[in-house]
């Protein structure tokens, strides 16, 4: 029997044939245009050799018998090279130890030509940052004692770069040795954090009580500080649950210099007079948020309660804003998420810990901030004029009317207590399912 092929089948076969023909043509063209490894452009690898010297306070750092900072090049060091904003791959290494040396090495992933200006930098490439210091001189030497030099390319002969003259390296920071004491009794202090503020920048040094002071000696902290001229500085130190401070005006730190300094610090003692004032990220207290900003630090919370017997913390501060996420689009949370969110509140404060307030915390803050006329029908059914007015006066975000805020106080297995703010002058205690989503305002133990 003769098989009949429909017109649809004929057209489909023609289409398949056309695709196969195109595929063969494409394959043929592709095979004829493959670029072999021999045809690919080779990456240019440059060689650079340049004499180099250092100023009086660059790596490697050590304290001499005369109490001065000793410096020299070490063959184990690496110097990195940048053209404009691009860092070259590779590095230069000192060929000898000493105060002067020849730097030599290979560079790639950058195009270099005559008259280009190259920046040489150690101990590492990238933007200069002083975050993460631990107060130990060897850590500064390895990671924070930046020095830079600029050289102009005289010629590039094949792959060989020649420069106009040697590289003169200059330090990008001063090195300061702080010996920290209590002004009241001249006793040595051993802080776990030291914060240096020059009015425009704030630098935090996190100190390991064992390794830092075992290496340096008790109460001694080394810090790399970018130089400045005639600025007012504030130091704050966290010792246990206490904060000590020191201020000095018209201070100059010159890049490349070494400064051994003894600072006698005064313990900050929070009192009820500080209620309604700001605690900042450096642990110090300011009149309001603007005053903290002017001092070069960041306002974190409003002091709302001072404990009579601060065995572990002096008191409570309330966050200046509600917690949110997703760029502010999410502003309410379940009870479990509220606990997590409050504990991760920012900005962090060197002398405190954020958390979700208890029912008792809210009572204490309302009581601590109360003014004449504030009273209570029950502990959490009261007028709160003082609390609300103080929060707004220090430039904090007020509590919204008709809004509920979580406490971390449970009410059985499925419920937890919350504070309902019925107006800007009164509130009451309620209980809701832990799965409901309510507002979160963190408190700081400080």
């Amino acid at each position: 029997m003769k098989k009949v092929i429909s017109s649809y089948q004929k057209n489909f076969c023609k289409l398949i044939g056309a695709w196969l023909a195109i595929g063969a043509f494409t394959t043929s063209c592709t095979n004829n245009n493959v670029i072999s490894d021999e045809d690919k452009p080779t990456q240019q690898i440059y060689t650079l050799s340049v004499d180099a010297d250092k100023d009086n306070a660059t790596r490697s750092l050590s304290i001499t018998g005369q109490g001065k900072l000793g410096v020299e090049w070490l063959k184990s060091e690496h110097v990195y090279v940048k053209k404009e904003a691009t860092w070259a791959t590779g590095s230069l290494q000192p060929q000898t130890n000493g105060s002067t040396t020849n730097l030599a090495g290979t560079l790639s992933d950058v195009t270099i030509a005559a008259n280009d200006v190259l920046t040489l930098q150690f101990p590492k490439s990238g933007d200069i940052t002083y975050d993460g210091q631990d107060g130990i001189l060897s850590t500064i030497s390895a990671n924070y004692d930046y020095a830079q030099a600029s050289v102009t390319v005289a010629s590039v002969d094949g792959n060989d770069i020649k420069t106009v003259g040697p590289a003169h390296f200059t330090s990008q920071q001063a090195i300061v040795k702080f010996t920290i004491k209590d002004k009241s009794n001249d006793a040595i202090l051993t802080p776990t954090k030291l914060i240096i503020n020059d009015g425009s920048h704030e630098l935090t040094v996190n100190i390991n009580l064992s390794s830092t002071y075992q290496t340096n000696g008790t109460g001694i902290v080394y810090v790399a500080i970018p130089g400045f001229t005639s600025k007012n500085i504030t130091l704050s130190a966290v010792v246990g649950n206490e904060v000590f401070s020191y201020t000095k005006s018209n201070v100059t730190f010159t890049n490349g210099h070494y400064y051994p300094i003894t600072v006698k610090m005064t313990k900050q003692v929070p009192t009820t007079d500080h209620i309604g004032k700001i605690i900042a990220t450096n642990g110090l207290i300011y009149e309001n948020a603007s005053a903290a900003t002017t001092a070069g630090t960041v306002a974190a919370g409003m002091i709302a309660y001072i404990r009579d017997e601060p065995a572990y913390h002096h008191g409570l501060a309330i966050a200046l804003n509600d917690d949110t996420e997703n760029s502010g689009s999410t502003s309410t949370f379940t009870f479990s998420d509220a606990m997590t969110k409050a504990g991760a509140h920012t900005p962090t404060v060197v002398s405190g810990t954020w958390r979700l307030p208890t029912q008792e915390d809210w009572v204490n803050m309302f009581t601590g901030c109360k003014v004449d006329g504030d009273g209570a029908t029950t502990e959490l059914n009261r007028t709160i004029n003082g609390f609300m007015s103080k929060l707004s006066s220090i430039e904090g975000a007020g509590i919204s009317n008709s809004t509920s805020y979580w406490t971390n106080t449970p009410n059985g297995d499925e419920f937890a207590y919350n504070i309902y703010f019925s107006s800007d002058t009164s509130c009451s205690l309620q209980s809701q399912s832990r799965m409901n989503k309510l507002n979160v305002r963190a408190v700081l133990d400080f």
Side-chain angles (χ1 to χ4, degrees):
M1 180 176 178
K2 187 175 181 180
K3 189 173 182 179
V4 177
I5 301 176
S6 68
S7 59
Y8 171 80
Q9 289 173 313
K10 290 179 181 179
N11 291 335
F12 180 76
C13 290
K14 290 179 181 179
L15 181 60
I16 293 296
W19 282 347
L20 292 173
I22 292 172
F25 176 77
T26 304
T27 303
S28 175
C29 291
T30 302
N31 290 338
N32 289 336
N33 288 279
V34 170
I35 300 175
S36 67
D37 290 338
E38 291 78 8
D39 296 328
K40 293 179 181 178
T42 57
Q43 181 186 66
Q44 186 160 9
I45 300 177
Y46 300 96
T47 59
L48 174 59
S49 176
V50 58
D51 291 334
D53 58 36
K54 297 183 175 183
D55 64 12
N56 290 328
T58 56
R59 288 208 329 176
S60 289
L61 303 177
S62 62
I63 302 300
T64 69
Q66 292 75 39
K68 297 182 179 180
L69 207 60
V71 296
E72 65 173 6
W73 289 102
L74 295 180
K75 294 171 67 175
S76 58
E77 293 179 338
H78 289 265
V79 176
Y80 299 89
V81 178
K82 177 176 69 171
K83 176 188 171 184
E84 297 174 346
T86 302
W87 290 95
T89 299
S91 64
L92 311 178
Q93 284 192 267
Q95 301 303 293
T96 58
N97 297 338
S99 58
T100 61
T101 191
N102 177 265
L103 302 174
T106 60
L107 308 171
S108 62
D109 292 328
V110 66
T111 302
I112 299 174
N115 299 317
D116 283 345
V117 176
L118 306 179
T119 299
L120 280 57
Q121 177 177 296
F122 65 80
K124 54 188 176 182
S125 61
D127 295 336
I128 291 178
T129 176
Y130 297 96
D131 295 333
Q133 296 186 58
D134 61 4
I136 299 175
L137 191 64
S138 60
T139 304
I140 293 175
S141 178
N143 298 289
Y144 303 101
D145 187 41
Y146 294 96
Q148 288 185 342
S150 292
V151 294
T152 300
V153 177
S155 64
V156 179
D157 184 7
N159 293 333
D160 187 27
I161 300 172
K162 301 294 184 184
T163 64
V164 179
H168 301 291
F169 281 82
T170 58
S171 292
Q172 304 301 297
Q173 64 285 309
I175 307 298
V176 184
K177 173 190 176 185
F178 290 106
T179 301
I180 304 169
K181 292 187 174 184
D182 185 337
K183 184 178 180 180
S184 66
N185 56 19
D186 213 39
I188 293 289
L189 296 175
T190 54
T192 54
K193 293 181 185 289
L194 179 66
I195 302 91
I196 301 101
N197 186 305
D198 65 9
S200 56
H201 299 93
E202 194 165 86
L203 174 63
T204 299
V205 181
N206 293 300
I207 300 163
N208 184 293
L209 284 175
S210 56
S211 61
T212 298
Y213 298 123
Q214 183 177 355
T215 302
N216 298 347
T218 305
I220 296 175
V221 179
Y222 292 96
V223 187
I225 300 175
F228 54 76
T229 302
S230 299
K231 287 191 174 184
N232 300 331
I233 66 165
T234 298
L235 305 183
S236 54
V238 180
V239 183
N241 69 317
E242 306 290 353
V243 176
F244 290 75
S245 66
Y246 171 88
T247 58
K248 189 173 179 61
S249 58
N250 199 32
V251 174
T252 295
F253 287 144
T254 302
N255 287 341
H257 286 231
Y258 169 65
Y259 299 87
I261 299 172
T262 297
V263 290
K264 297 186 177 184
M265 308 187 76
T266 302
K267 184 166 70 173
Q268 178 178 257
V269 181
T271 69
T272 54
D273 291 336
H274 292 120
I275 289 177
K277 298 189 183 334
I278 283 290
I279 186 166
T281 54
N282 61 4
L284 300 182
I285 297 170
Y286 296 88
E287 192 68 26
N288 51 40
S290 294
T293 301
T294 300
T297 188
V298 178
M302 182 194 79
I303 297 173
Y305 175 66
I306 297 296
R307 293 187 173 92
D308 293 331
E309 297 180 1
Y312 299 101
H313 293 95
H314 293 288
L316 288 174
I318 188 165
L320 300 182
N321 297 282
D322 289 355
D323 276 297
T324 62
E325 62 182 25
N326 299 325
S327 300
S329 63
T330 302
S331 58
T332 57
F333 303 88
T334 64
F335 178 74
S336 176
D337 289 344
M339 297 279 282
T340 301
K341 196 68 180 175
H345 183 81
T346 56
T348 57
V349 178
V350 296
S351 56
T353 304
W354 291 106
R355 59 177 175 81
L356 195 64
T358 65
Q359 178 181 328
E360 183 182 8
D361 290 334
W362 283 107
V363 172
N364 287 335
M365 291 190 293
F366 295 153
T367 303
C369 293
K370 72 178 181 179
V371 295
D372 291 342
D374 283 349
T377 305
T378 61
E379 282 192 328
L380 276 167
N381 184 7
R382 62 167 66 201
T383 53
I384 51 171
N385 293 285
F387 176 81
M388 300 296 270
S389 63
K390 284 181 172 62
L391 191 58
S392 61
S393 68
I394 49 83
E395 302 156 64
I399 302 291
S400 301
N401 292 344
S402 304
T403 305
S404 294
Y405 285 79
W406 281 119
T407 79
N408 77 358
T409 305
N411 181 19
D413 294 334
E414 297 181 3
F415 290 81
Y417 288 105
N418 67 276
I419 308 300
Y420 175 68
F421 292 86
S422 55
S423 69
D424 58 2
T425 61
S426 61
C427 68
S428 59
L429 180 66
Q430 295 181 345
S431 178
Q432 296 197 37
S433 166
R434 297 187 186 192
M435 298 309 296
N436 289 351
K437 292 186 176 182
L438 307 180
N439 287 52
V440 175
R441 183 68 69 105
V443 293
L444 179 82
D445 286 312
F446 71 94

PDB file of all heavy atoms in Angstrom, residues 335 406-419 429-435 438:
ATOM      1  N   PHE A 335       6.652  38.527  67.764  1.00  0.00           N
ATOM      2  CA  PHE A 335       7.379  38.583  69.036  1.00  0.00           C
ATOM      3  C   PHE A 335       8.789  38.020  68.884  1.00  0.00           C
ATOM      4  O   PHE A 335       9.770  38.625  69.339  1.00  0.00           O
ATOM      5  CB  PHE A 335       6.603  37.801  70.098  1.00  0.00           C
ATOM      6  CG  PHE A 335       7.276  37.752  71.437  1.00  0.00           C
ATOM      7  CD1 PHE A 335       7.302  38.856  72.263  1.00  0.00           C
ATOM      8  CD2 PHE A 335       7.893  36.580  71.875  1.00  0.00           C
ATOM      9  CE1 PHE A 335       7.931  38.808  73.503  1.00  0.00           C
ATOM     10  CE2 PHE A 335       8.519  36.524  73.104  1.00  0.00           C
ATOM     11  CZ  PHE A 335       8.536  37.645  73.929  1.00  0.00           C
ATOM     12  N   TRP A 406       6.089  45.942  71.439  1.00  0.00           N
ATOM     13  CA  TRP A 406       6.352  44.728  72.202  1.00  0.00           C
ATOM     14  C   TRP A 406       7.164  45.019  73.469  1.00  0.00           C
ATOM     15  O   TRP A 406       8.045  45.877  73.484  1.00  0.00           O
ATOM     16  CB  TRP A 406       7.152  43.731  71.371  1.00  0.00           C
ATOM     17  CG  TRP A 406       6.379  42.937  70.363  1.00  0.00           C
ATOM     18  CD1 TRP A 406       6.556  42.934  69.012  1.00  0.00           C
ATOM     19  CD2 TRP A 406       5.329  42.000  70.628  1.00  0.00           C
ATOM     20  NE1 TRP A 406       5.687  42.069  68.401  1.00  0.00           N
ATOM     21  CE2 TRP A 406       4.907  41.475  69.379  1.00  0.00           C
ATOM     22  CE3 TRP A 406       4.689  41.564  71.798  1.00  0.00           C
ATOM     23  CZ2 TRP A 406       3.901  40.525  69.275  1.00  0.00           C
ATOM     24  CZ3 TRP A 406       3.681  40.619  71.683  1.00  0.00           C
ATOM     25  CH2 TRP A 406       3.290  40.111  70.437  1.00  0.00           C
ATOM     26  N   THR A 407       6.884  44.262  74.527  1.00  0.00           N
ATOM     27  CA  THR A 407       7.840  44.060  75.617  1.00  0.00           C
ATOM     28  C   THR A 407       8.402  42.653  75.419  1.00  0.00           C
ATOM     29  O   THR A 407       7.879  41.871  74.622  1.00  0.00           O
ATOM     30  CB  THR A 407       7.180  44.144  77.004  1.00  0.00           C
ATOM     31  OG1 THR A 407       6.503  42.908  77.292  1.00  0.00           O
ATOM     32  CG2 THR A 407       6.183  45.299  77.074  1.00  0.00           C
ATOM     33  N   ASN A 408       9.460  42.313  76.169  1.00  0.00           N
ATOM     34  CA  ASN A 408       9.945  40.927  76.059  1.00  0.00           C
ATOM     35  C   ASN A 408       9.404  40.063  77.192  1.00  0.00           C
ATOM     36  O   ASN A 408       9.931  38.983  77.474  1.00  0.00           O
ATOM     37  CB  ASN A 408      11.478  40.881  75.996  1.00  0.00           C
ATOM     38  CG  ASN A 408      12.141  41.087  77.349  1.00  0.00           C
ATOM     39  OD1 ASN A 408      11.483  41.307  78.366  1.00  0.00           O
ATOM     40  ND2 ASN A 408      13.462  41.026  77.364  1.00  0.00           N
ATOM     41  N   THR A 409       8.322  40.544  77.826  1.00  0.00           N
ATOM     42  CA  THR A 409       7.716  39.827  78.939  1.00  0.00           C
ATOM     43  C   THR A 409       6.618  38.898  78.424  1.00  0.00           C
ATOM     44  O   THR A 409       5.614  39.371  77.862  1.00  0.00           O
ATOM     45  CB  THR A 409       7.124  40.815  79.954  1.00  0.00           C
ATOM     46  OG1 THR A 409       8.139  41.733  80.369  1.00  0.00           O
ATOM     47  CG2 THR A 409       6.576  40.074  81.169  1.00  0.00           C
ATOM     48  N   PRO A 410       6.774  37.584  78.569  1.00  0.00           N
ATOM     49  CA  PRO A 410       5.770  36.653  78.059  1.00  0.00           C
ATOM     50  C   PRO A 410       4.520  36.628  78.940  1.00  0.00           C
ATOM     51  O   PRO A 410       4.559  36.962  80.127  1.00  0.00           O
ATOM     52  CB  PRO A 410       6.488  35.302  78.092  1.00  0.00           C
ATOM     53  CG  PRO A 410       7.512  35.445  79.175  1.00  0.00           C
ATOM     54  CD  PRO A 410       7.944  36.879  79.164  1.00  0.00           C
ATOM     55  N   ASN A 411       3.428  36.192  78.352  1.00  0.00           N
ATOM     56  CA  ASN A 411       2.178  35.956  79.075  1.00  0.00           C
ATOM     57  C   ASN A 411       1.679  34.574  78.644  1.00  0.00           C
ATOM     58  O   ASN A 411       0.888  34.446  77.718  1.00  0.00           O
ATOM     59  CB  ASN A 411       1.154  37.048  78.747  1.00  0.00           C
ATOM     60  CG  ASN A 411      -0.150  36.859  79.507  1.00  0.00           C
ATOM     61  OD1 ASN A 411      -0.194  36.159  80.520  1.00  0.00           O
ATOM     62  ND2 ASN A 411      -1.212  37.481  79.011  1.00  0.00           N
ATOM     63  N   GLY A 412       2.201  33.541  79.291  1.00  0.00           N
ATOM     64  CA  GLY A 412       1.918  32.180  78.868  1.00  0.00           C
ATOM     65  C   GLY A 412       2.783  31.785  77.685  1.00  0.00           C
ATOM     66  O   GLY A 412       3.771  32.465  77.340  1.00  0.00           O
ATOM     67  N   ASP A 413       2.403  30.682  77.047  1.00  0.00           N
ATOM     68  CA  ASP A 413       3.211  30.145  75.952  1.00  0.00           C
ATOM     69  C   ASP A 413       2.931  30.804  74.611  1.00  0.00           C
ATOM     70  O   ASP A 413       3.777  30.760  73.715  1.00  0.00           O
ATOM     71  CB  ASP A 413       2.979  28.636  75.824  1.00  0.00           C
ATOM     72  CG  ASP A 413       3.489  27.875  77.035  1.00  0.00           C
ATOM     73  OD1 ASP A 413       4.416  28.378  77.695  1.00  0.00           O
ATOM     74  OD2 ASP A 413       2.942  26.789  77.315  1.00  0.00           O
ATOM     75  N   GLU A 414       1.770  31.397  74.438  1.00  0.00           N
ATOM     76  CA  GLU A 414       1.375  31.895  73.126  1.00  0.00           C
ATOM     77  C   GLU A 414       1.184  33.400  73.075  1.00  0.00           C
ATOM     78  O   GLU A 414       0.986  33.963  72.000  1.00  0.00           O
ATOM     79  CB  GLU A 414       0.079  31.199  72.678  1.00  0.00           C
ATOM     80  CG  GLU A 414       0.236  29.692  72.512  1.00  0.00           C
ATOM     81  CD  GLU A 414      -1.041  29.034  72.040  1.00  0.00           C
ATOM     82  OE1 GLU A 414      -2.033  29.770  71.791  1.00  0.00           O
ATOM     83  OE2 GLU A 414      -1.061  27.797  71.906  1.00  0.00           O
ATOM     84  N   PHE A 415       1.255  34.062  74.213  1.00  0.00           N
ATOM     85  CA  PHE A 415       1.008  35.497  74.260  1.00  0.00           C
ATOM     86  C   PHE A 415       2.202  36.214  74.898  1.00  0.00           C
ATOM     87  O   PHE A 415       3.034  35.615  75.571  1.00  0.00           O
ATOM     88  CB  PHE A 415      -0.273  35.805  75.048  1.00  0.00           C
ATOM     89  CG  PHE A 415      -1.530  35.373  74.349  1.00  0.00           C
ATOM     90  CD1 PHE A 415      -1.957  34.051  74.400  1.00  0.00           C
ATOM     91  CD2 PHE A 415      -2.284  36.288  73.615  1.00  0.00           C
ATOM     92  CE1 PHE A 415      -3.101  33.642  73.752  1.00  0.00           C
ATOM     93  CE2 PHE A 415      -3.437  35.892  72.958  1.00  0.00           C
ATOM     94  CZ  PHE A 415      -3.848  34.566  73.037  1.00  0.00           C
ATOM     95  N   ALA A 416       2.280  37.514  74.683  1.00  0.00           N
ATOM     96  CA  ALA A 416       3.285  38.364  75.324  1.00  0.00           C
ATOM     97  C   ALA A 416       2.673  39.742  75.525  1.00  0.00           C
ATOM     98  O   ALA A 416       1.737  40.136  74.814  1.00  0.00           O
ATOM     99  CB  ALA A 416       4.546  38.452  74.478  1.00  0.00           C
ATOM    100  N   TYR A 417       3.243  40.475  76.501  1.00  0.00           N
ATOM    101  CA  TYR A 417       2.703  41.794  76.808  1.00  0.00           C
ATOM    102  C   TYR A 417       3.231  42.845  75.841  1.00  0.00           C
ATOM    103  O   TYR A 417       4.353  42.735  75.310  1.00  0.00           O
ATOM    104  CB  TYR A 417       3.058  42.185  78.242  1.00  0.00           C
ATOM    105  CG  TYR A 417       2.286  41.403  79.282  1.00  0.00           C
ATOM    106  CD1 TYR A 417       2.909  40.391  80.012  1.00  0.00           C
ATOM    107  CD2 TYR A 417       0.947  41.681  79.526  1.00  0.00           C
ATOM    108  CE1 TYR A 417       2.209  39.668  80.966  1.00  0.00           C
ATOM    109  CE2 TYR A 417       0.235  40.966  80.479  1.00  0.00           C
ATOM    110  CZ  TYR A 417       0.868  39.952  81.197  1.00  0.00           C
ATOM    111  OH  TYR A 417       0.160  39.246  82.122  1.00  0.00           O
ATOM    112  N   ASN A 418       2.409  43.847  75.625  1.00  0.00           N
ATOM    113  CA  ASN A 418       2.816  44.993  74.811  1.00  0.00           C
ATOM    114  C   ASN A 418       2.306  46.275  75.454  1.00  0.00           C
ATOM    115  O   ASN A 418       1.396  46.249  76.296  1.00  0.00           O
ATOM    116  CB  ASN A 418       2.275  44.874  73.382  1.00  0.00           C
ATOM    117  CG  ASN A 418       0.770  44.977  73.322  1.00  0.00           C
ATOM    118  OD1 ASN A 418       0.075  43.970  73.524  1.00  0.00           O
ATOM    119  ND2 ASN A 418       0.248  46.166  73.042  1.00  0.00           N
ATOM    120  N   ILE A 419       2.917  47.383  75.068  1.00  0.00           N
ATOM    121  CA  ILE A 419       2.473  48.701  75.528  1.00  0.00           C
ATOM    122  C   ILE A 419       1.704  49.352  74.391  1.00  0.00           C
ATOM    123  O   ILE A 419       2.223  49.482  73.282  1.00  0.00           O
ATOM    124  CB  ILE A 419       3.670  49.589  75.926  1.00  0.00           C
ATOM    125  CG1 ILE A 419       4.587  48.865  76.903  1.00  0.00           C
ATOM    126  CG2 ILE A 419       3.189  50.901  76.528  1.00  0.00           C
ATOM    127  CD1 ILE A 419       3.926  48.470  78.192  1.00  0.00           C
ATOM    128  N   LEU A 429      -1.141  48.783  79.344  1.00  0.00           N
ATOM    129  CA  LEU A 429      -0.574  47.462  79.136  1.00  0.00           C
ATOM    130  C   LEU A 429      -1.612  46.549  78.495  1.00  0.00           C
ATOM    131  O   LEU A 429      -2.766  46.516  78.906  1.00  0.00           O
ATOM    132  CB  LEU A 429      -0.117  46.870  80.471  1.00  0.00           C
ATOM    133  CG  LEU A 429       0.508  45.476  80.436  1.00  0.00           C
ATOM    134  CD1 LEU A 429       1.835  45.500  79.692  1.00  0.00           C
ATOM    135  CD2 LEU A 429       0.704  44.950  81.859  1.00  0.00           C
ATOM    136  N   GLN A 430      -1.183  45.789  77.482  1.00  0.00           N
ATOM    137  CA  GLN A 430      -2.062  44.836  76.826  1.00  0.00           C
ATOM    138  C   GLN A 430      -1.317  43.517  76.642  1.00  0.00           C
ATOM    139  O   GLN A 430      -0.117  43.414  76.916  1.00  0.00           O
ATOM    140  CB  GLN A 430      -2.520  45.369  75.457  1.00  0.00           C
ATOM    141  CG  GLN A 430      -3.376  46.619  75.511  1.00  0.00           C
ATOM    142  CD  GLN A 430      -3.814  47.063  74.129  1.00  0.00           C
ATOM    143  OE1 GLN A 430      -3.276  46.630  73.116  1.00  0.00           O
ATOM    144  NE2 GLN A 430      -4.828  47.938  74.082  1.00  0.00           N
ATOM    145  N   SER A 431      -2.013  42.499  76.136  1.00  0.00           N
ATOM    146  CA  SER A 431      -1.416  41.214  75.812  1.00  0.00           C
ATOM    147  C   SER A 431      -1.941  40.769  74.454  1.00  0.00           C
ATOM    148  O   SER A 431      -3.137  40.895  74.180  1.00  0.00           O
ATOM    149  CB  SER A 431      -1.769  40.175  76.883  1.00  0.00           C
ATOM    150  OG  SER A 431      -1.230  38.903  76.545  1.00  0.00           O
ATOM    151  N   GLN A 432      -1.015  40.266  73.609  1.00  0.00           N
ATOM    152  CA  GLN A 432      -1.412  39.837  72.273  1.00  0.00           C
ATOM    153  C   GLN A 432      -0.712  38.536  71.912  1.00  0.00           C
ATOM    154  O   GLN A 432       0.304  38.152  72.515  1.00  0.00           O
ATOM    155  CB  GLN A 432      -1.069  40.910  71.227  1.00  0.00           C
ATOM    156  CG  GLN A 432      -1.809  42.215  71.399  1.00  0.00           C
ATOM    157  CD  GLN A 432      -1.766  43.063  70.147  1.00  0.00           C
ATOM    158  OE1 GLN A 432      -1.819  42.537  69.035  1.00  0.00           O
ATOM    159  NE2 GLN A 432      -1.671  44.374  70.324  1.00  0.00           N
ATOM    160  N   SER A 433      -1.238  37.882  70.886  1.00  0.00           N
ATOM    161  CA  SER A 433      -0.602  36.678  70.370  1.00  0.00           C
ATOM    162  C   SER A 433       0.807  37.000  69.891  1.00  0.00           C
ATOM    163  O   SER A 433       1.045  38.052  69.279  1.00  0.00           O
ATOM    164  CB  SER A 433      -1.407  36.114  69.199  1.00  0.00           C
ATOM    165  OG  SER A 433      -0.658  35.150  68.480  1.00  0.00           O
ATOM    166  N   ARG A 434       1.726  36.090  70.141  1.00  0.00           N
ATOM    167  CA  ARG A 434       3.115  36.306  69.734  1.00  0.00           C
ATOM    168  C   ARG A 434       3.268  36.343  68.212  1.00  0.00           C
ATOM    169  O   ARG A 434       4.297  36.802  67.710  1.00  0.00           O
ATOM    170  CB  ARG A 434       4.015  35.207  70.306  1.00  0.00           C
ATOM    171  CG  ARG A 434       4.056  35.185  71.822  1.00  0.00           C
ATOM    172  CD  ARG A 434       5.082  34.191  72.318  1.00  0.00           C
ATOM    173  NE  ARG A 434       5.048  34.059  73.765  1.00  0.00           N
ATOM    174  CZ  ARG A 434       5.975  33.438  74.487  1.00  0.00           C
ATOM    175  NH1 ARG A 434       7.006  32.872  73.862  1.00  0.00           N
ATOM    176  NH2 ARG A 434       5.876  33.361  75.789  1.00  0.00           N
ATOM    177  N   MET A 435       2.272  35.854  67.490  1.00  0.00           N
ATOM    178  CA  MET A 435       2.345  35.878  66.032  1.00  0.00           C
ATOM    179  C   MET A 435       1.892  37.209  65.449  1.00  0.00           C
ATOM    180  O   MET A 435       2.103  37.466  64.259  1.00  0.00           O
ATOM    181  CB  MET A 435       1.500  34.738  65.446  1.00  0.00           C
ATOM    182  CG  MET A 435       1.981  33.350  65.855  1.00  0.00           C
ATOM    183  SD  MET A 435       3.749  33.092  65.568  1.00  0.00           S
ATOM    184  CE  MET A 435       3.801  33.232  63.794  1.00  0.00           C
ATOM    185  N   LEU A 438       3.893  43.785  65.765  1.00  0.00           N
ATOM    186  CA  LEU A 438       3.824  45.066  66.462  1.00  0.00           C
ATOM    187  C   LEU A 438       5.126  45.836  66.254  1.00  0.00           C
ATOM    188  O   LEU A 438       6.112  45.309  65.741  1.00  0.00           O
ATOM    189  CB  LEU A 438       3.585  44.842  67.957  1.00  0.00           C
ATOM    190  CG  LEU A 438       2.398  43.954  68.368  1.00  0.00           C
ATOM    191  CD1 LEU A 438       2.316  43.855  69.883  1.00  0.00           C
ATOM    192  CD2 LEU A 438       1.091  44.479  67.769  1.00  0.00           C
TER     193      LEU A 438
END
